[in-house]
Coordinates of all heavy atoms in Angstrom, one line a residue:
G1 N 0.8 -1.2 0.0 CA 0.0 0.0 0.0 C 0.9 1.3 0.0 O 2.1 1.2 0.2
N2 N 0.2 2.4 -0.2 CA 0.9 3.6 -0.2 C 1.1 4.1 1.2 O 0.2 4.1 1.9 CB 0.2 4.7 -1.1 CG 0.5 4.6 -2.6 OD1 1.4 3.9 -2.9 ND2 -0.2 5.3 -3.3
L3 N 2.3 4.6 1.6 CA 2.6 5.1 2.8 C 2.3 6.7 2.8 O 2.3 7.4 1.8 CB 4.1 5.0 3.0 CG 4.7 3.7 3.3 CD1 6.1 3.6 3.2 CD2 4.2 3.0 4.5
L4 N 1.6 7.1 3.9 CA 1.5 8.5 4.1 C 2.7 9.2 4.4 O 3.5 8.8 5.3 CB 0.5 8.6 5.2 CG -1.0 8.2 5.0 CD1 -1.9 8.4 6.2 CD2 -1.6 8.7 3.8
I5 N 3.0 10.4 3.7 CA 4.1 11.2 4.1 C 3.8 12.7 4.4 O 2.8 13.2 3.9 CB 5.1 11.1 2.9 CG1 4.7 11.8 1.7 CG2 5.5 9.7 2.7 CD1 5.7 12.1 0.6
N6 N 4.6 13.2 5.2 CA 4.5 14.7 5.5 C 3.1 15.1 5.9 O 2.5 14.7 6.8 CB 5.1 15.5 4.4 CG 6.6 15.1 4.2 OD1 7.2 14.8 5.1 ND2 7.0 15.2 3.0
E7 N 2.5 16.1 5.2 CA 1.3 16.6 5.5 C 0.1 15.7 5.4 O -1.0 16.0 5.7 CB 0.9 17.9 4.6 CG 1.6 19.2 5.1 CD 3.2 19.1 4.8 OE1 3.5 18.5 3.9 OE2 3.9 19.8 5.6
Q8 N 0.3 14.5 4.8 CA -0.8 13.6 4.7 C -1.0 12.9 5.9 O -2.0 12.3 6.2 CB -0.4 12.5 3.5 CG -0.2 13.0 2.3 CD 0.4 12.0 1.3 OE1 0.9 11.0 1.7 NE2 0.3 12.3 0.0
I9 N -0.1 12.9 6.8 CA -0.1 12.3 8.1 C -1.2 13.1 9.1 O -1.0 14.3 9.1 CB 1.1 12.3 8.9 CG1 2.1 11.3 7.9 CG2 1.0 11.5 10.2 CD1 3.6 11.4 8.4
K10 N -2.1 12.3 9.7 CA -3.2 13.2 10.4 C -3.1 13.0 12.0 O -3.9 13.4 12.7 CB -4.6 12.7 10.0 CG -4.9 13.0 8.5 CD -4.9 14.5 8.3 CE -5.1 14.8 6.9 NZ -4.1 15.9 6.3
A11 N -2.1 12.2 12.4 CA -2.0 12.0 13.9 C -1.6 13.3 14.7 O -1.0 14.2 14.1 CB -1.0 10.9 14.2
N12 N -1.9 13.4 15.9 CA -1.6 14.6 16.7 C -0.2 14.4 17.2 O 0.6 15.3 17.3 CB -2.5 14.8 17.9 CG -3.9 15.1 17.4 OD1 -4.1 15.8 16.5 ND2 -5.0 14.6 18.1
Q13 N 0.1 13.1 17.6 CA 1.5 12.9 18.2 C 1.9 11.6 17.6 O 1.1 10.7 17.2 CB 1.4 12.6 19.7 CG 1.1 14.0 20.5 CD 1.6 13.6 22.0 OE1 1.2 12.6 22.5 NE2 2.3 14.7 22.4
V14 N 3.2 11.7 17.3 CA 3.9 10.5 16.6 C 5.2 10.1 17.3 O 5.8 10.9 18.0 CB 4.2 10.8 15.2 CG1 2.9 10.8 14.5 CG2 5.0 11.9 15.0
L15 N 5.5 8.8 17.2 CA 6.8 8.4 17.8 C 7.9 8.5 16.6 O 7.5 7.9 15.5 CB 6.8 7.0 18.4 CG 8.2 6.4 18.6 CD1 8.8 7.1 19.8 CD2 7.9 4.9 19.0
V16 N 8.9 9.3 16.7 CA 9.6 9.6 15.7 C 11.0 8.8 15.6 O 11.6 8.7 16.7 CB 10.2 11.1 15.7 CG1 11.1 11.4 14.4 CG2 8.9 12.0 15.6
I17 N 11.2 8.1 14.4 CA 12.6 7.5 14.4 C 13.3 8.2 13.4 O 12.9 8.6 12.4 CB 12.3 6.0 13.7 CG1 11.2 5.2 14.5 CG2 13.6 5.2 13.7 CD1 11.6 4.8 15.9
G18 N 14.6 8.5 13.9 CA 15.5 9.3 13.1 C 16.0 8.5 11.8 O 15.9 7.4 11.7
P19 N 16.8 9.3 11.0 CA 17.3 8.8 9.7 C 18.2 7.5 9.9 O 18.3 6.7 9.0 CB 17.9 9.9 9.0 CG 17.9 11.0 9.9 CD 17.0 10.8 11.0
N20 N 18.9 7.4 11.0 CA 19.8 6.3 11.4 C 19.2 5.3 12.1 O 19.8 4.5 12.7 CB 21.1 6.9 11.9 CG 21.6 7.9 11.1 OD1 21.8 7.8 9.7 ND2 22.1 8.9 11.6
G21 N 17.8 5.3 12.4 CA 17.1 4.3 13.1 C 17.2 4.7 14.7 O 16.7 3.9 15.4
E22 N 17.6 5.9 15.0 CA 17.6 6.1 16.5 C 16.2 6.6 17.0 O 15.6 7.3 16.1 CB 18.8 7.3 16.8 CG 18.5 8.6 16.3 CD 18.8 8.8 14.7 OE1 19.1 7.8 14.0 OE2 18.7 9.9 14.3
Q23 N 15.9 6.3 18.0 CA 14.4 6.8 18.6 C 14.6 8.3 18.9 O 15.4 8.6 19.9 CB 14.1 6.0 19.7 CG 13.2 4.9 19.2 CD 12.2 4.5 20.3 OE1 11.9 5.2 21.2 NE2 11.8 3.2 20.3
V24 N 13.9 9.2 18.3 CA 13.8 10.6 18.7 C 12.9 10.8 19.8 O 13.0 11.7 20.6 CB 13.5 11.4 17.5 CG1 13.5 12.9 17.8 CG2 14.6 11.3 16.3
G25 N 11.9 10.0 19.8 CA 10.8 10.1 20.9 C 9.5 10.5 20.4 O 9.3 10.7 19.2
V26 N 8.6 10.7 21.3 CA 7.1 11.1 20.9 C 7.2 12.7 20.8 O 7.6 13.4 21.6 CB 6.1 10.7 22.1 CG1 4.8 11.2 21.6 CG2 6.1 9.3 22.2
K27 N 6.8 13.1 19.5 CA 6.7 14.5 19.3 C 5.2 14.9 18.7 O 4.6 13.9 18.3 CB 7.6 14.9 18.1 CG 9.1 14.5 18.4 CD 9.8 15.5 19.2 CE 11.2 15.3 19.7 NZ 11.7 16.0 20.8
S28 N 4.9 16.1 18.9 CA 3.8 16.6 18.1 C 4.0 16.4 16.5 O 5.2 16.6 16.2 CB 3.3 18.0 18.5 OG 4.3 19.0 18.0
L29 N 2.9 16.2 15.8 CA 3.2 16.1 14.5 C 3.9 17.5 13.8 O 4.8 17.2 13.1 CB 1.8 16.0 13.7 CG 1.9 15.7 12.2 CD1 2.7 14.5 11.8 CD2 0.6 15.7 11.6
S30 N 3.6 18.6 14.3 CA 4.3 19.7 13.7 C 5.7 19.8 14.1 O 6.5 20.0 13.1 CB 3.6 21.0 14.2 OG 3.6 21.1 15.6
D31 N 6.1 19.4 15.3 CA 7.5 19.2 15.6 C 8.2 18.2 14.8 O 9.4 18.4 14.3 CB 7.7 18.8 17.1 CG 7.5 20.0 18.1 OD1 7.3 21.2 17.6 OD2 7.5 19.8 19.3
A32 N 7.5 17.1 14.6 CA 8.0 16.0 13.7 C 8.4 16.4 12.3 O 9.3 16.2 11.7 CB 7.1 14.9 13.8
L33 N 7.4 17.2 11.7 CA 7.4 17.9 10.3 C 8.7 18.8 10.3 O 9.4 18.8 9.2 CB 6.2 18.4 9.9 CG 5.1 17.4 9.7 CD1 3.8 18.1 9.5 CD2 5.4 16.6 8.3
T34 N 8.7 19.6 11.4 CA 9.9 20.6 11.4 C 11.2 19.8 11.3 O 12.1 20.3 10.6 CB 9.8 21.5 12.6 OG1 8.5 22.1 12.6 CG2 10.8 22.5 12.7
L35 N 11.4 18.8 12.2 CA 12.6 18.1 12.3 C 13.0 17.5 10.9 O 14.0 17.6 10.5 CB 12.3 16.9 13.3 CG 12.6 17.2 14.8 CD1 12.2 16.0 15.5 CD2 14.0 17.5 15.2
S36 N 12.0 16.9 10.2 CA 12.3 16.2 9.0 C 12.6 17.3 7.8 O 13.5 17.1 7.1 CB 11.2 15.4 8.5 OG 10.0 16.2 8.5
S37 N 12.0 18.4 8.0 CA 12.3 19.4 6.9 C 13.6 20.2 7.2 O 14.4 20.4 6.3 CB 11.1 20.6 6.9 OG 11.1 21.3 8.0
Y38 N 13.9 20.2 8.5 CA 15.4 20.7 8.7 C 16.5 19.8 8.2 O 17.5 20.2 7.7 CB 15.6 20.9 10.3 CG 15.1 22.1 11.0 CD1 14.8 22.1 12.2 CD2 15.0 23.3 10.1 CE1 14.4 23.4 12.7 CE2 14.6 24.5 10.6 CZ 14.3 24.5 11.9 OH 13.9 25.7 12.5
A39 N 16.1 18.3 8.2 CA 17.1 17.5 7.8 C 17.0 17.3 6.3 O 17.7 16.5 5.7 CB 16.7 16.1 8.5
G40 N 16.1 18.1 5.7 CA 15.9 17.9 4.2 C 15.3 16.6 3.8 O 15.5 16.2 2.7
L41 N 14.5 15.9 4.8 CA 14.1 14.6 4.5 C 12.5 14.7 4.6 O 11.9 15.7 4.9 CB 14.7 13.7 5.4 CG 16.1 13.4 5.2 CD1 16.8 12.6 6.3 CD2 16.5 12.8 3.9
D42 N 11.9 13.4 4.5 CA 10.4 13.3 4.6 C 10.1 12.7 5.8 O 10.9 11.7 6.4 CB 9.8 12.6 3.3 CG 10.1 13.2 2.0 OD1 9.6 14.3 2.0 OD2 10.8 12.6 1.2
L43 N 9.0 12.9 6.4 CA 8.3 12.1 7.6 C 7.4 11.1 6.9 O 6.5 11.4 6.1 CB 7.6 13.1 8.5 CG 7.2 12.6 9.7 CD1 8.4 12.3 10.6 CD2 6.2 13.5 10.5
V44 N 7.7 9.9 7.2 CA 7.1 8.7 6.6 C 6.2 7.9 7.6 O 6.9 7.6 8.7 CB 7.8 7.9 5.8 CG1 7.0 6.8 5.0 CG2 8.6 8.7 4.7
L45 N 5.0 7.7 7.6 CA 4.2 7.0 8.6 C 4.3 5.4 8.2 O 3.9 5.0 7.2 CB 2.7 7.5 8.4 CG 1.8 6.7 9.6 CD1 2.1 7.1 10.9 CD2 0.4 7.2 9.2
I46 N 5.1 4.8 9.1 CA 5.5 3.4 8.9 C 4.6 2.4 9.8 O 4.4 1.3 9.2 CB 7.0 3.1 9.0 CG1 7.5 3.5 10.4 CG2 7.8 3.7 7.9 CD1 8.9 3.1 10.8
S47 N 4.0 2.8 10.9 CA 3.2 2.1 11.6 C 1.9 2.9 12.1 O 1.9 3.3 13.1 CB 4.0 1.5 12.9 OG 4.8 0.5 12.6
P48 N 1.0 3.0 11.1 CA -0.2 3.8 11.4 C -1.0 3.2 12.7 O -1.8 4.1 13.3 CB -1.0 3.8 10.2 CG -0.6 2.6 9.3 CD 0.8 2.4 9.9
N49 N -1.0 1.9 12.9 CA -2.0 1.4 13.9 C -1.3 1.3 15.3 O -2.0 0.9 16.2 CB -2.4 0.0 13.5 CG -3.0 0.0 12.2 OD1 -3.8 1.1 11.8 ND2 -3.0 -0.9 11.2
A50 N 0.0 1.8 15.3 CA 0.6 1.7 16.7 C 0.1 2.9 17.5 O -0.4 3.8 17.0 CB 2.2 1.9 16.5
N51 N 0.5 2.8 18.8 CA -0.1 4.0 19.7 C 1.1 4.5 20.5 O 1.6 3.8 21.4 CB -1.2 3.4 20.6 CG -1.9 4.6 21.3 OD1 -1.7 5.8 21.0 ND2 -2.7 4.3 22.3
P52 N 1.7 5.6 20.3 CA 1.4 6.5 19.1 C 1.8 5.9 17.8 O 2.8 5.1 17.8 CB 2.0 7.8 19.4 CG 3.2 7.3 20.3 CD 2.8 6.1 21.0
P53 N 1.3 6.5 16.7 CA 1.7 6.1 15.3 C 3.3 6.3 15.2 O 3.7 7.3 15.7 CB 0.9 6.9 14.4 CG -0.2 7.3 15.1 CD 0.2 7.5 16.5
V54 N 3.9 5.3 14.4 CA 5.3 5.5 14.3 C 5.7 6.1 12.9 O 5.2 5.7 11.9 CB 6.1 4.0 14.5 CG1 7.6 4.3 14.2 CG2 5.7 3.4 15.7
C55 N 6.5 7.2 12.9 CA 7.0 7.7 11.7 C 8.5 7.8 11.8 O 9.1 7.7 12.6 CB 6.5 9.3 11.8 SG 4.8 9.7 11.6
K56 N 8.9 7.6 10.5 CA 10.4 7.5 10.3 C 10.8 8.6 9.3 O 10.1 9.1 8.4 CB 11.0 6.2 9.8 CG 12.4 6.1 9.7 CD 13.0 4.7 9.6 CE 14.4 4.8 9.6 NZ 15.1 3.6 9.1
I57 N 11.9 9.4 9.8 CA 12.5 10.5 9.0 C 13.4 9.9 7.9 O 14.4 9.2 8.2 CB 13.3 11.4 9.7 CG1 12.3 12.2 10.8 CG2 13.9 12.6 8.9 CD1 13.0 13.1 11.8
L58 N 13.0 9.9 6.6 CA 14.0 9.3 5.6 C 13.7 10.1 4.3 O 12.8 10.8 4.1 CB 13.7 7.9 5.4 CG 12.2 7.4 5.3 CD1 11.7 7.4 3.9 CD2 12.1 5.9 5.8
D59 N 14.5 9.7 3.3 CA 14.5 10.2 1.9 C 13.5 9.4 1.2 O 13.8 8.3 0.7 CB 15.8 10.1 1.2 CG 15.8 10.8 -0.1 OD1 14.7 10.9 -0.7 OD2 16.9 11.1 -0.7
Y60 N 12.2 9.8 1.2 CA 11.1 9.0 0.7 C 11.2 8.6 -0.9 O 11.0 7.5 -1.2 CB 9.7 9.7 0.8 CG 8.5 8.9 0.3 CD1 8.3 7.7 1.0 CD2 7.8 9.3 -0.7 CE1 7.2 6.9 0.7 CE2 6.7 8.4 -1.2 CZ 6.4 7.2 -0.4 OH 5.4 6.4 -0.9
G61 N 11.8 9.5 -1.7 CA 12.1 9.2 -3.0 C 13.0 8.1 -3.2 O 12.7 7.1 -3.9
K62 N 14.1 8.1 -2.4 CA 15.0 7.0 -2.6 C 14.5 5.8 -1.9 O 14.8 4.6 -2.4 CB 16.3 7.4 -1.6 CG 17.5 6.7 -2.0 CD 18.7 7.1 -1.1 CE 19.2 8.5 -1.5 NZ 20.3 8.8 -0.5
Y63 N 13.7 5.9 -0.8 CA 13.1 4.7 -0.1 C 12.2 4.0 -1.2 O 12.1 2.8 -1.3 CB 12.3 5.3 1.0 CG 11.5 4.1 1.8 CD1 12.0 3.2 2.7 CD2 10.2 4.0 1.5 CE1 11.2 2.4 3.4 CE2 9.3 3.0 2.2 CZ 10.0 2.2 2.9 OH 9.2 1.2 3.6
R64 N 11.3 4.8 -1.9 CA 10.3 4.2 -2.8 C 11.1 3.5 -4.0 O 10.7 2.4 -4.3 CB 9.5 5.4 -3.3 CG 7.9 5.0 -3.1 CD 7.0 6.1 -3.6 NE 6.6 5.8 -4.9 CZ 6.5 6.6 -6.0 NH1 7.1 7.9 -5.7 NH2 6.2 6.1 -7.1
F65 N 12.1 4.2 -4.5 CA 12.8 3.6 -5.5 C 13.4 2.2 -5.2 O 13.3 1.3 -5.8 CB 13.9 4.6 -5.9 CG 14.8 4.0 -7.1 CD1 14.3 4.0 -8.4 CD2 16.1 3.6 -6.8 CE1 15.1 3.5 -9.3 CE2 16.8 3.1 -7.8 CZ 16.4 3.0 -9.1
H66 N 14.0 2.2 -4.0 CA 14.5 1.0 -3.4 C 13.6 -0.1 -3.4 O 13.7 -1.2 -3.6 CB 15.2 1.4 -2.0 CG 16.1 0.2 -1.5 ND1 17.3 -0.1 -2.1 CD2 16.0 -0.6 -0.5 CE1 17.9 -1.1 -1.4 NE2 17.1 -1.4 -0.4
H67 N 12.4 0.2 -2.8 CA 11.2 -0.6 -2.6 C 10.9 -1.2 -3.9 O 10.6 -2.5 -4.0 CB 10.1 0.1 -1.9 CG 9.5 -0.6 -0.8 ND1 10.2 -0.8 0.3 CD2 8.3 -1.1 -0.6 CE1 9.4 -1.4 1.2 NE2 8.3 -1.6 0.7
I68 N 10.7 -0.4 -4.8 CA 10.2 -0.8 -6.2 C 11.2 -1.7 -6.8 O 10.8 -2.7 -7.3 CB 10.0 0.4 -7.1 CG1 8.8 1.2 -6.6 CG2 9.8 0.0 -8.6 CD1 8.6 2.5 -7.2
L69 N 12.5 -1.3 -6.6 CA 13.6 -2.2 -7.1 C 13.6 -3.6 -6.6 O 13.7 -4.5 -7.4 CB 14.9 -1.5 -6.8 CG 16.1 -1.6 -7.9 CD1 15.8 -1.2 -9.2 CD2 17.5 -1.0 -7.2
I70 N 13.4 -3.7 -5.2 CA 13.5 -5.0 -4.8 C 12.2 -5.8 -5.0 O 12.5 -7.0 -5.4 CB 13.4 -4.7 -3.0 CG1 14.7 -4.2 -2.6 CG2 13.1 -6.1 -2.4 CD1 14.9 -3.9 -1.1
S71 N 11.0 -5.3 -5.2 CA 9.9 -6.1 -5.6 C 10.2 -6.4 -7.1 O 9.6 -7.6 -7.5 CB 8.7 -5.3 -5.5 OG 8.7 -3.8 -6.1
R72 N 10.7 -5.7 -7.9 CA 11.0 -6.0 -9.2 C 12.0 -7.2 -9.3 O 11.7 -8.3 -9.9 CB 11.5 -4.9 -10.2 CG 10.6 -3.9 -10.5 CD 10.8 -3.5 -11.9 NE 9.8 -2.4 -12.2 CZ 10.1 -1.1 -12.4 NH1 11.3 -0.8 -12.4 NH2 9.1 -0.3 -12.6
I73 N 13.0 -7.1 -8.5 CA 14.1 -8.2 -8.5 C 13.4 -9.5 -8.0 O 13.7 -10.5 -8.6 CB 15.4 -7.8 -7.6 CG1 16.1 -6.6 -8.1 CG2 16.1 -9.0 -7.3 CD1 17.1 -6.0 -7.3
I74 N 12.6 -9.4 -7.0 CA 11.9 -10.7 -6.5 C 11.0 -11.2 -7.6 O 11.1 -12.4 -7.7 CB 11.1 -10.3 -5.2 CG1 12.0 -10.0 -4.0 CG2 10.1 -11.4 -4.9 CD1 11.4 -9.4 -2.9
S75 N 10.2 -10.3 -8.3 CA 9.4 -10.9 -9.4 C 10.2 -11.5 -10.6 O 9.8 -12.5 -11.1 CB 8.4 -10.0 -9.9 OG 9.0 -8.7 -10.4
I76 N 11.3 -10.9 -10.8 CA 12.2 -11.5 -11.9 C 12.8 -12.9 -11.5 O 12.8 -13.8 -12.2 CB 13.3 -10.4 -12.2 CG1 12.7 -9.4 -13.0 CG2 14.3 -11.2 -13.0 CD1 13.7 -8.2 -13.2
E77 N 13.1 -12.9 -10.2 CA 13.8 -14.2 -9.7 C 12.6 -15.2 -9.7 O 13.0 -16.4 -10.0 CB 14.3 -13.9 -8.2 CG 15.7 -13.2 -8.2 CD 16.1 -13.0 -6.9 OE1 15.4 -13.2 -6.0 OE2 17.3 -12.6 -6.8
L78 N 11.4 -14.9 -9.4 CA 10.3 -16.0 -9.4 C 10.0 -16.5 -10.8 O 9.8 -17.6 -11.0 CB 9.0 -15.2 -8.7 CG 9.0 -14.9 -7.3 CD1 7.8 -14.2 -6.9 CD2 9.2 -16.3 -6.4
L79 N 10.2 -15.6 -11.8 CA 10.0 -16.0 -13.2 C 10.9 -17.1 -13.6 O 10.7 -17.9 -14.3 CB 10.2 -14.9 -14.1 CG 9.0 -13.8 -14.2 CD1 9.4 -12.6 -15.1 CD2 7.8 -14.5 -14.8
Y80 N 12.2 -17.0 -13.0 CA 13.3 -17.8 -13.4 C 13.5 -19.1 -12.6 O 14.4 -19.8 -12.6 CB 14.6 -17.0 -13.7 CG 14.5 -16.2 -14.9 CD1 14.2 -14.8 -14.5 CD2 14.5 -16.6 -16.1 CE1 14.1 -14.0 -15.7 CE2 14.3 -15.7 -17.2 CZ 14.2 -14.5 -16.9 OH 14.0 -13.6 -18.0
L81 N 12.8 -19.3 -11.6 CA 12.8 -20.5 -10.6 C 12.5 -21.8 -11.4 O 11.6 -21.8 -12.1 CB 11.9 -20.3 -9.5 CG 12.3 -19.3 -8.3 CD1 11.4 -19.4 -7.2 CD2 13.6 -19.8 -7.8

């Protein structure tokens, strides 16, 4: 499914994971968005059903590309099994 990013996220508070996997802690959504924009990265909602929802600061364009690449590689490998 599509991940929600930046202003698409509707939670009031989120648990923020930094770009290197470090826990930043629970922040208001506006603080989390400020942190990610300072870093020049995106805030991506990775666990919408957690309490509070978990967001990670990352380069969404690169992340999506990597994700698509991996799923393509997997489907190509399945063809040749």
